[in-house]
Amino acid sequence: MLSRVAASLYWLSRYVERSDGLLRMLKINYASSQDTVHEFTWDPVIRLFGNPNDEEVATLNNDSRAVLKYMISSKENRNSVLNIITQARENARGVQEHITKDLWQCLNEYYHTVKDAKMDRLLQREDPIGTLDILIKQVMLYYGTAEITMERGEGRSFMNLGKYLERGIQSVDLLDMKFGSINDNPDLLTDTTYWKHLLLSIGGHELYLKTYRSGFEAPNVLEQVVLNNDFPRSVLYAVNHIQRYFDRLKNDAEQEGYRKMAFQIGRLQSRIKYSSVSSISQEGLHLYLTQIRNELYGIGNALNENYFAHS
């Protein structure tokens, strides 16, 4: 497969996954802004998915509907859903012969749904939760279509590498931000609503309730989001799937690059697999997450060097 094609499939999938994570976080945070008894702020979401230095951010004034417009349809915010899906669609356009017609049509529909002028009107005048659900369902339709129509070949492997690398980075960033906020407000450590909203924003609420009977506690949340391989958005689950799909790229013509990357992925996989909540706490959560994030970015850089260098 041409490196240009592999890179486009990889980035197509990363962008779609990024939009999914952003939409789910926006939905839960908007709901939280409506029923919280504490002072609510959108700053964590903007730090994760926006650009705090944008002039437009200074005008938002924590206005929930203004933030939603900025994060979904703003052309100035490079990480708005509109700009993310535009990038995904451009990558897909260049490799249409390598994805199914159904998948292209699905992505195209997602793009036009976000781009439709009535999207802003819905966000401003209707219940934003319903509008966000429309977009989240577009992502779910995309993933379902990819699952049942895409050939199980190199192209799909590169798409899944992008998907799980992006997912792992998002989970690390979210945990680092949420636990970091405790340093400024120690009361959050025992705030069950705080941890509940974190889990809801990444689809882990139901699994948590089935797994833990002692209520919402920070160590249990940490264990699920980092170490639980039954949770599709845990860091370990993401890295295991990075390893799984990278194994399928083994090629005699690229043995040296493959061996280096296989070692890099295996080292990260072992580091997480043989961690525990207590060992992470002893090391320091922020330091641990920073190192995991750096390793994930390192895998992305190695993919670019060994597989996308001529794209």
Side-chain angles (χ1 to χ4, degrees):
M1 174 174 286
L2 293 175
S3 59
R4 174 189 62 81
V5 174
S8 292
L9 293 171
Y10 166 85
W11 279 107
L12 155 65
S13 194
R14 278 197 70 165
Y15 285 131
V16 173
E17 180 67 24
R18 190 174 302 172
S19 77
D20 185 47
L22 171 55
L23 288 168
R24 292 176 185 277
M25 183 167 286
L26 289 175
K27 177 181 175 180
I28 299 305
N29 275 267
Y30 179 79
S32 175
S33 74
Q34 301 304 295
D35 60 22
T36 184
V37 296
H38 305 290
E39 183 179 353
F40 178 84
T41 176
W42 283 96
D43 286 348
V45 178
I46 294 173
R47 288 204 309 270
L48 276 180
F49 290 102
N51 182 358
N53 297 320
D54 277 359
E55 293 181 3
E56 189 176 353
V57 171
T59 68
L60 297 177
N61 296 322
N62 217 37
D63 180 335
S64 292
R65 291 185 185 264
V67 171
L68 290 176
K69 182 177 179 180
Y70 173 72
M71 299 303 297
I72 293 174
S73 57
S74 171
K75 293 182 179 179
E76 284 68 38
N77 175 14
R78 65 180 183 179
N79 269 329
S80 69
V81 177
L82 174 61
N83 283 332
I84 291 171
I85 294 307
T86 299
Q87 291 288 336
R89 184 170 177 263
E90 287 305 306
N91 277 282
R93 184 196 299 277
V95 293
Q96 282 192 59
E97 67 274 20
H98 295 274
I99 61 175
T100 62
K101 181 180 179 181
D102 287 336
L103 193 61
W104 165 253
Q105 289 176 338
C106 183
L107 184 60
N108 210 35
E109 181 182 336
Y110 184 11
Y111 166 78
H112 285 292
T113 301
V114 179
K115 195 172 183 293
D116 195 330
K118 73 177 183 181
M119 186 58 61
D120 277 346
R121 294 197 298 272
L122 289 172
L123 287 171
Q124 295 304 310
R125 300 175 186 175
E126 304 293 335
D127 178 15
I129 298 293
T131 305
L132 289 165
D133 278 337
I134 291 172
L135 297 176
I136 290 171
K137 286 176 182 177
Q138 288 290 332
V139 184
M140 294 171 68
L141 179 60
Y142 168 88
Y143 280 137
T145 304
E147 180 65 26
I148 65 176
T149 67
M150 281 294 294
E151 173 193 355
R152 268 48 177 171
E154 277 190 336
R156 185 169 177 271
S157 292
F158 281 113
M159 290 173 70
N160 279 311
L161 283 171
K163 172 183 175 180
Y164 288 108
L165 189 63
E166 181 68 29
R167 184 175 294 184
I169 291 170
Q170 282 186 30
S171 294
V172 168
D173 285 344
L174 179 61
L175 277 179
D176 202 18
M177 179 192 71
K178 287 291 189 178
F179 276 87
S181 297
I182 295 173
N183 296 328
D184 301 322
N185 187 358
D187 290 342
L188 293 175
L189 190 63
T190 55
D191 185 343
T192 58
T193 302
Y194 185 74
W195 302 115
K196 177 182 177 181
H197 284 154
L198 184 157
L199 292 165
L200 284 169
S201 68
I202 54 175
H205 181 244
E206 291 186 20
L207 178 61
Y208 185 95
L209 294 179
K210 294 175 181 176
T211 306
Y212 303 98
R213 304 297 182 183
S214 56
F216 294 100
E217 298 179 357
N220 293 340
V221 172
L222 177 62
E223 182 177 60
Q224 175 166 317
V225 181
V226 176
L227 305 172
N228 189 334
N229 197 38
D230 293 325
F231 178 43
R233 291 185 180 273
S234 77
V235 182
L236 179 58
Y237 185 95
V239 172
N240 283 345
H241 280 71
I242 290 170
Q243 188 271 333
R244 173 186 177 187
Y245 287 105
F246 182 73
D247 276 354
R248 299 183 182 185
L249 299 180
K250 190 170 184 179
N251 186 324
D252 291 339
E254 299 169 343
Q255 275 292 339
E256 185 61 26
Y258 175 86
R259 280 199 297 269
K260 288 181 179 178
M261 280 203 65
F263 174 79
Q264 192 174 3
I265 295 169
R267 181 179 60 194
L268 175 59
Q269 186 181 33
S270 295
R271 174 160 168 68
I272 300 171
K273 183 178 180 180
Y274 296 108
S275 295
S276 65
V277 172
S278 60
S279 69
I280 293 172
S281 299
Q282 288 174 3
E283 180 177 344
L285 179 60
H286 176 66
L287 176 61
Y288 179 85
L289 293 175
T290 298
Q291 292 176 345
I292 298 300
R293 182 192 296 110
N294 290 341
E295 290 283 349
L296 288 168
Y297 277 119
I299 291 169
N301 292 336
L303 278 168
N304 183 64
E305 180 181 343
N306 293 293
Y307 291 91
F308 311 149
H310 303 293
S311 59

